[in-house]
Amino acid sequence: WNFLLDLPLPYRCFGCRRNGTILCETCARGRELAPPLDAPDTYALFAYHDPVVRRMIWALKYRGVRAVGENLGAQLYDHLTEDLAEVSLWGGSDQHFLVIPIPLTATRQHERGYNQATAIARGFVNRAGGKNFTLAENLLRRARDTGSQTAIKARRKRLTNVRGAFAAVEPATVRGKQIIIIDDVITTGGTTDAARHALEAAGAKIVIAAAAAHG
């Protein structure tokens, strides 16, 4: 099944239904951008309430269309290029980033067969041409199963639910590094904050978070 999902398909633009593309340039320009997030060093590309964006995220998460994630990841890289240049200035001579997708629980990973955040992270790294960006999908793990955040409406409960939910797998590899955490959607920022804290506790020098959508 996973092999079949990776085969080339006659994709249609999620906006105008034009053949051969996930999201054409015209429809991409027409999408509502996410407003600036309150959390420091946290960025998002599109507003999640945009109906086209919601359909794309749904197709990525629940219909197995991983090409959507790679498309969003490429656009996210383009969106963050200027901000990433500023972050690199903080890092001094170190211009290299580890790109770490938010991991799923083992149960969800088994059910879905893939991690949607990894698809976005892969598109992000591929767009960068591999230069100065390395996909590192196994450096962060779920320390405990928090269940689905979408079922929790109150922001405070969401933040409490994910506190301590992540742990660095190889602290020595993380120590002193510049890291970009990638997720599909940032809502309250609780999940990316919990992941950031785990990586900072392992000694990461700079940790920023980015997502395809916010809302």
Side-chain angles (χ1 to χ4, degrees):
W1 174 245
N2 287 333
F3 169 76
L4 291 175
L5 291 176
D6 287 330
L7 292 175
L9 296 173
Y11 295 118
R12 289 177 178 267
C13 173
F14 275 76
C16 65
R17 307 305 294 163
R18 181 184 304 172
N19 284 328
T21 181
I22 292 292
L23 190 68
C24 73
E25 291 185 11
T26 300
C27 290
R29 288 194 298 268
R31 305 281 55 82
E32 182 180 350
L33 295 177
L37 280 78
D38 292 335
D41 304 325
T42 304
Y43 307 89
L45 174 57
F46 293 128
Y48 185 58
H49 63 244
D50 183 299
V52 172
V53 174
R54 290 178 73 96
R55 288 200 301 270
M56 292 179 72
I57 297 293
W58 182 270
L60 170 62
K61 293 179 70 170
Y62 304 114
R63 294 181 57 200
V65 188
R66 279 175 281 186
V68 167
E70 296 188 13
N71 178 281
L72 290 172
Q75 293 191 70
L76 182 60
Y77 173 81
D78 291 342
H79 182 67
L80 292 182
T81 299
E82 185 174 335
D83 292 301
L84 292 176
E86 294 182 5
V87 171
S88 291
L89 292 176
W90 309 340
S93 60
D94 182 10
Q95 301 295 302
H96 187 263
F97 290 87
L98 295 177
V99 181
I100 301 180
I102 292 290
L104 296 174
T105 64
T107 299
R108 185 60 57 83
Q109 179 83 28
H110 178 73
E111 291 174 348
R112 192 166 293 168
Y114 64 98
N115 180 356
Q116 70 274 5
T118 298
I120 298 171
R122 183 171 291 112
F124 187 100
V125 171
N126 289 343
R127 182 67 163 187
K131 183 179 180 181
N132 294 333
F133 295 87
T134 299
L135 179 61
E137 55 185 303
N138 297 314
L139 291 183
L140 191 67
R141 67 176 178 85
R142 290 265 181 176
R144 61 183 179 83
D145 189 345
T146 59
S148 173
Q149 284 284 89
T150 58
I152 304 174
K153 303 304 180 184
R155 183 177 188 275
R156 181 173 296 179
K157 289 183 178 180
R158 277 175 171 255
L159 296 176
T160 301
N161 185 54
V162 293
R163 190 173 299 153
F166 300 96
V169 175
E170 298 177 8
T173 303
V174 168
R175 191 172 301 118
K177 295 297 193 299
Q178 297 184 138
I179 293 173
I180 303 171
I181 304 166
I182 298 287
D183 206 357
D184 55 346
V185 180
I186 290 177
T187 304
T188 62
T191 299
T192 49
D193 279 353
R196 187 200 309 271
H197 292 157
L199 293 167
E200 289 176 342
K205 178 168 60 177
I206 295 172
V207 182
I208 69 174
H214 167 55

